[in-house]
Amino acid sequence: QSNPYKEEMDEQDRKIKELDDKQLTLLKDSTVKQNEIDRIINDVTMQSKELETECEREVYAIENNIKQVSAEIVKLDDMLCRQKGALIEWLSINKPGWEETFGKVLDEDTVLYNASLNPRLVTASDSIYGVKIDTSNIEKAVKTPDKVRAQKEVLEQKVEELKKDIALRKQQLEFNISELERKPGIRLKQLRQEKMAIDAEFNHIPYRIELLKKEKRAAEERLNKWCEDELEKLQNKIGE
């Protein structure tokens, strides 16, 4: 039962247990670091999605506005196409100033831009079917081809501005997401470095444990050899 290497072997056992405990602690610390990294990344991801959803909603509204304005442009294009041979073309040539008189009471879509009315000059030109009214009291701007073209240009400019708004909104989204990711960037870098150091130490522990076990096996072999030598000495004494 004697063991001259007991202190050495006990120390090896103590170090092995210490490393086992250290390994469990490092595993726990690494898990904590990873959980915090995942939490930060998930928070950024959720906030990024919220920003993207808000941007999509605003862009969708702008695109709808573009569709409405584009529809107005199509209507104006149609009016300009229909002016050839229509009453409004004839009036522009044969009746200067018509838009300030009876033109104010004529419907643009069904009358002024109608090409099948066969217009002609007659007496009482400032009356409509023999009824004369004071058109100065009517607040209406008649859509002459020039005004239609001017209105179309304004609407086309509005479409371009709305498209620029979409581009700017998307740029703002990219900037917001970049800022969102930048803020926790330093903390994430620190956490990853700390986790890397923990994992490196964790991965090195099995090697250190194996070295200690080899030392312990060597001590056990020395103990066995010592025991054999001591037994042999005792047997020799018994023999004497």
Side-chain angles (χ1 to χ4, degrees):
Q1 295 178 3
S2 299
N3 184 0
Y5 306 106
K6 185 177 185 307
E7 289 185 5
E8 177 184 349
M9 295 173 71
D10 288 346
E11 180 65 13
Q12 290 163 348
D13 287 335
R14 185 190 67 78
K15 288 182 178 179
I16 290 173
K17 185 178 183 307
E18 188 179 79
L19 288 174
D20 284 335
D21 293 341
K22 180 69 172 176
Q23 198 170 28
L24 291 174
T25 301
L26 290 173
L27 179 60
K28 181 180 178 181
D29 291 344
S30 177
T31 302
V32 170
K33 298 293 182 185
Q34 186 61 52
N35 288 341
E36 189 171 357
I37 290 171
D38 293 341
R39 180 188 61 77
I40 293 174
I41 292 175
N42 289 337
D43 287 346
V44 171
T45 301
M46 288 181 61
Q47 293 179 49
S48 295
K49 287 182 178 179
E50 290 175 358
L51 290 174
E52 289 171 355
T53 301
E54 181 181 358
C55 178
E56 288 174 358
R57 185 167 56 249
E58 294 179 10
V59 168
Y60 179 76
I62 296 174
E63 288 174 343
N64 280 340
N65 199 355
I66 289 176
K67 289 179 181 178
Q68 294 174 4
V69 176
S70 298
E72 291 296 323
I73 292 174
V74 170
K75 291 180 181 178
L76 295 177
D77 273 332
D78 180 62
M79 291 180 70
L80 290 173
C81 290
R82 287 192 291 122
Q83 71 168 316
K84 188 66 177 174
L87 174 62
I88 193 168
E89 184 183 48
W90 185 88
L91 289 173
S92 299
I93 297 172
N94 297 282
K95 193 67 176 175
W98 62 272
E99 61 270 16
E100 297 300 329
T101 57
F102 62 89
K104 291 186 176 183
V105 297
L106 297 181
D107 180 82
E108 292 159 345
D109 189 51
T110 58
V111 179
L112 288 178
Y113 287 86
N114 192 327
S116 60
L117 299 181
N118 189 26
R120 55 197 178 277
L121 291 172
V122 295
T123 57
S125 58
D126 58 348
S127 66
I128 303 174
Y129 292 107
V131 178
K132 187 174 182 179
I133 60 176
D134 189 358
T135 57
S136 62
N137 291 327
I138 300 176
E139 294 182 2
K140 178 182 179 181
V142 180
K143 288 184 179 178
T144 63
D146 289 339
K147 289 181 179 180
V148 171
R149 279 188 284 269
Q151 185 180 0
K152 179 186 172 186
E153 289 178 2
V154 171
L155 293 178
E156 288 174 340
Q157 181 63 32
K158 184 176 182 180
V159 169
E160 292 302 315
E161 290 174 356
L162 290 171
K163 289 180 178 178
K164 289 180 181 178
D165 289 343
I166 290 176
L168 289 173
R169 186 62 186 87
K170 290 182 177 179
Q171 290 178 2
Q172 183 65 41
L173 173 64
E174 292 178 1
F175 175 78
N176 291 342
I177 291 178
S178 176
E179 283 293 295
L180 185 64
E181 293 174 347
R182 183 187 62 80
K183 290 178 181 178
I186 296 175
R187 178 59 179 160
L188 279 174
K189 182 179 179 181
Q190 178 186 356
L191 287 169
R192 286 171 176 146
Q193 289 176 342
E194 291 173 356
K195 184 178 184 300
M196 190 181 298
I198 291 171
D199 291 344
E201 185 177 0
F202 176 86
N203 293 331
H204 187 62
I205 285 179
Y207 173 74
R208 294 169 61 188
I209 290 176
E210 185 58 31
L211 287 179
L212 287 169
K213 287 182 176 179
K214 285 182 179 179
E215 291 177 3
K216 185 179 178 182
R217 286 195 295 269
E220 289 172 346
E221 290 175 0
R222 290 198 304 273
L223 174 61
N224 291 334
K225 181 66 171 60
W226 178 83
C227 287
E228 290 174 359
D229 291 344
E230 290 299 311
L231 286 172
E232 185 178 355
K233 290 177 183 179
L234 291 173
Q235 288 171 354
N236 289 337
K237 283 186 178 181
I238 293 172
E240 291 175 358

